[in-house]
Amino acid sequence: MDDETREQWLAREFEQQRPRLRAVAYRVLGSAADADDAVQEGWLRLSRSDTTEISNLAGWLTTVVGRISLDMLRSRSSRREDSWDAGLAELVAGGDVRTAPTQPTRPSPDPASEAELADSIGLALLVVLDTLAPAERLAFVLHDLFGMPFEQIADILDRSPAATRQLASRARRRVRAADADETGPARTRQREVVTAFLAAARGGDFSALLEMLDPDVVLSADEAAVAMGSPDVLRGPEAVAQRFNGGAKSARLAAFDGGIGAVWTLRGEAMVAFRFTVDDRDLVTGIEMVADRARLDEMEIWFLTA
């Protein structure tokens, strides 16, 4: 097989594996952008390898992408979600915002498919995975979600199969415990309220916004958001509803800091997070606008489908 034929064969075989590899990397890393990076690095390593020594290409690629994801997870100090959706600036400042060849190349980011990928895992699992140590997370994802044998995972982690089994067991217990809390009625209602609020804001339904706001609702902004043009505090349903009415067209429903809210990203970077507080009457009692760079960098943000 000449070099050109080999390249074409590798590219074709890799493309068949890409969806599964991306799913593995996403569940380990929690970021579509990072998952794509891990998968593309997997392709680069495959293209430089002697494929005559690979008897099980799917297993080899899963192992390689797993190792890459583990390294990224250990070294990563912050995360980003790929999205580009201009137009949320009216909620912050009221103005406009303007903004080595290898095969196969990475597909262009698709926010819809990324949201579907995130939602397919479930909010509870996404949230709790971020609380696990890297080794626990990888062991749980590869074994419980993708059925990889502990012996193979142990090679990736450089641990014994027994130790790897214990890592997955600890992770499983934490996932089950969190699942009962994160999927409870209060969290489900919060998601429904925020989803309805964003829909009313985008549709310019002022009366619907008023109905969802507590009489003492407060919209607050941190110093960074104020510097971008937002008022520091707005009080009362009319003022808050007016601020959002007809806006939020590019806000994306998201989970972060243990709750449900919305996030505006610019060229793949979170610019403003809107943290919602919802009471037991399903009324919004507070919305906090977070634009401080340090705080945003510390957040693990999971984008959800409405």
Side-chain angles (χ1 to χ4, degrees), residues 52-218:
T52 61
E53 302 296 323
I54 302 175
S55 59
N56 181 350
L57 182 60
W60 186 91
L61 284 170
T62 301
T63 298
V64 168
V65 170
R67 285 181 176 139
I68 294 168
S69 299
L70 181 63
D71 289 341
M72 292 175 67
L73 192 62
R74 284 170 169 165
S75 63
R76 183 179 61 196
S77 59
S78 62
R79 70 181 293 278
R80 294 290 184 270
E81 281 289 343
D82 265 355
S83 70
W84 165 233
D85 201 4
L88 193 62
E90 72 276 6
L91 295 183
V92 182
D96 292 332
V97 175
R98 306 194 185 277
T99 63
T102 55
Q103 293 293 333
T105 57
R106 180 197 300 177
S108 300
D110 179 359
S113 66
E114 290 173 10
E116 181 180 356
L117 181 61
D119 232 27
S120 69
I121 306 172
L123 174 60
L125 182 54
L126 281 172
V127 172
V128 74
L129 281 178
D130 186 50
T131 70
L132 303 178
E136 289 179 336
R137 184 164 177 162
L138 186 76
F140 174 82
V141 167
L142 291 182
H143 181 268
D144 285 47
L145 302 186
F146 291 93
M148 180 180 285
F150 283 119
E151 291 75 14
Q152 190 173 348
I153 303 171
D155 289 339
I156 300 175
L157 295 174
D158 195 23
R159 304 193 184 200
S160 69
T164 303
R165 188 184 300 272
Q166 290 179 350
L167 288 172
S169 179
R170 282 203 304 268
R172 194 178 305 118
R173 287 195 298 269
R174 295 177 68 178
V175 167
R176 287 172 178 169
D179 185 65
D181 176 61
E182 295 295 337
T183 59
R187 184 56 50 84
T188 299
R189 290 198 307 272
Q190 184 184 31
R191 178 170 179 167
E192 292 173 350
V193 170
V194 175
T195 299
F197 185 90
L198 293 176
R202 293 163 183 157
D205 192 340
F206 188 75
S207 60
L209 288 172
L210 288 176
E211 291 178 0
M212 285 183 276
L213 295 171
D214 181 83
D216 297 318
V217 64
V218 175

Side-chain angles (χ1 to χ4, degrees), residues 223-299:
E223 291 183 1
V226 172
M228 296 169 69
S230 173
D232 58 348
V233 177
L234 287 176
R235 301 182 185 277
E238 289 78 10
V240 174
Q242 188 60 52
R243 191 68 179 174
F244 282 89
N245 193 36
K249 289 181 169 50
S250 53
R252 295 178 63 186
L253 186 71
F256 56 90
D257 284 358
I260 307 296
V263 175
W264 169 43
T265 63
L266 180 62
R267 298 186 181 92
E269 184 172 37
M271 301 300 294
V272 181
F274 296 82
R275 187 202 312 269
F276 282 70
T277 302
V278 178
D279 66 13
D280 56 9
R281 300 167 298 162
D282 295 342
L283 294 178
V284 177
T285 60
I287 304 173
E288 179 188 3
M289 297 172 58
V290 180
D292 179 76
R293 185 75 267 147
R295 290 182 66 189
L296 290 172
D297 286 345
E298 291 175 355
M299 290 181 181

Side-chain angles (χ1 to χ4, degrees), residues 22-32 35 81 117-118 121 126 302:
R22 188 171 188 260
V24 169
Y26 183 84
R27 285 156 175 79
V28 174
L29 294 167
S31 163
E81 281 289 343
L117 181 61
I121 306 172
L126 281 172
W302 313 102

